[in-house]
Amino acid sequence: MPSSPVPVHHVRQGSGAPLLLVHGLGSSIGSWSPIMSDLTAQREVIALDLPGHGRTPALPEETMAAMGDALEAWIREQGLEQVDMVGSSMGARLTLEMSRRGLGGAVVALDPGGFWTDMQAKVFHTSLYASVKLVRGIRGALPTMMGNPVTRTALLAQFSAAPWRLDPQYALSELNGIADTESFFPLLHALAYGPRQEGMPAGTAGGRQTLVWGRRDRVTPGSQSATATERFPDAELVWLDSCGHFPHWDRPDATVDLILSRTG
């Protein structure tokens, strides 16, 4: 059994059937804090920092294939081959990839990447590259800007349907995470211009698959759900109103309900 090429920082909280949380690009374990306590009340939650994020070192090769291999190796090391999985954005793509590889039980993929057209991929890369360059350039002003609903909305409108409602400290933590993630730009390029996410034949899913899309997602627009459902024909598509790219930001209660009702 191949071992993970880097030591993976992770936490386990709660009790019950295990549930693995896989965050998105530029995030970390802390990204799940809006829903963590509700999940740990009913499940043993296992959350990790992906390679190059949080407290996990970067991989020698920063591609989606390498990320998938590292995650698979870690899941096997931990004896989690049948674990239910929840992923966000890049993490959602990775959980679907784990399912395609025959790992895991139920999967809830929140606004997954990897299903864009060439033009959408170019827009994705250009817009996020510019946004993160801006965030890094104004790093010192972020605490003040996140404390003001107007400037918080201006900076986070790409990601959230209602940035003014987000907790200022949580929003600051998420932006600081993006600014601190050295692997952000190599993985952004890999996501946009590397191979697209492969699918799997109908009837081969090892567990229930659910694709969740925010109707106001400006990062991976809802039109990409058609490609996602075509490549994962066993998956059920669920739409969330008044929701941007991160359901656990904008609709935490609904996200918890979906996760608990479709896993376990």
Side-chain angles (χ1 to χ4, degrees):
M1 180 179 69
S3 61
S4 174
V6 294
V8 175
H9 174 247
H10 62 283
V11 298
R12 288 178 179 249
Q13 300 177 23
S15 60
L19 179 68
L20 177 64
L21 305 184
V22 186
H23 64 75
L25 178 62
S27 294
S28 67
I29 291 169
S31 177
W32 300 107
S33 62
I35 63 174
M36 184 66 82
S37 61
D38 287 335
L39 292 178
T40 57
Q42 299 192 45
R43 305 291 294 272
E44 180 193 16
V45 175
I46 305 149
L48 77 160
D49 287 335
L50 286 169
H53 295 72
R55 294 166 58 183
T56 299
L59 296 171
E61 180 186 10
E62 296 186 297
T63 64
M64 290 307 299
M67 290 286 280
D69 290 345
L71 180 58
E72 177 181 357
W74 180 80
I75 286 173
R76 293 187 184 280
E77 280 180 10
Q78 298 294 313
L80 296 173
E81 289 88 347
Q82 301 302 316
V83 72
D84 293 338
M85 298 180 286
V86 179
S88 169
S89 193
M90 180 181 74
R93 172 174 175 172
L94 286 168
T95 57
L96 289 170
E97 173 63 14
M98 294 304 100
S99 185
R100 190 188 72 83
R101 296 185 186 194
L103 290 173
V107 173
V108 177
L110 308 173
D111 296 76
F115 300 104
W116 31 61
T117 64
D118 289 345
M119 180 57 68
Q120 287 173 333
K122 184 175 182 179
V123 171
F124 165 78
H125 182 272
T126 301
S127 60
L128 260 68
Y129 186 93
S131 295
V132 175
K133 280 289 189 180
L134 172 63
V135 166
R136 294 184 176 185
I138 61 173
R139 180 72 179 272
L142 286 179
T144 301
M145 298 182 75
M146 289 299 98
N148 184 310
V150 175
T151 49
R152 185 164 68 248
T153 296
L155 279 177
L156 296 176
Q158 183 177 8
F159 305 106
S160 170
W164 59 91
R165 294 178 185 163
L166 297 177
D167 176 78
Q169 288 303 312
Y170 174 73
L172 177 62
S173 175
E174 288 292 273
L175 286 185
N176 280 336
I178 289 174
D180 290 337
T181 301
E182 295 183 5
S183 297
F184 190 94
F185 290 124
L187 289 172
L188 175 65
H189 188 274
L191 276 166
Y193 299 120
R196 303 289 192 261
Q197 174 59 47
E198 295 181 54
M200 56 196 298
T204 61
R208 189 177 189 181
Q209 297 176 333
T210 305
L211 302 170
V212 181
W213 237 282
R215 289 195 182 274
R216 297 176 62 184
D217 187 343
R218 298 181 179 92
V219 178
T220 54
S223 60
Q224 296 175 19
S225 65
T227 302
T229 52
E230 180 181 340
R231 293 183 189 167
F232 289 87
D234 290 339
E236 180 181 354
L237 176 62
V238 176
W239 293 95
L240 284 180
D241 295 328
S242 303
C243 186
H245 185 61
F246 297 113
H248 53 293
W249 287 21
D250 291 339
R251 299 286 306 280
D253 291 344
T255 302
V256 168
D257 289 344
L258 274 171
I259 291 171
L260 293 179
S261 66
R262 292 170 179 272
T263 64

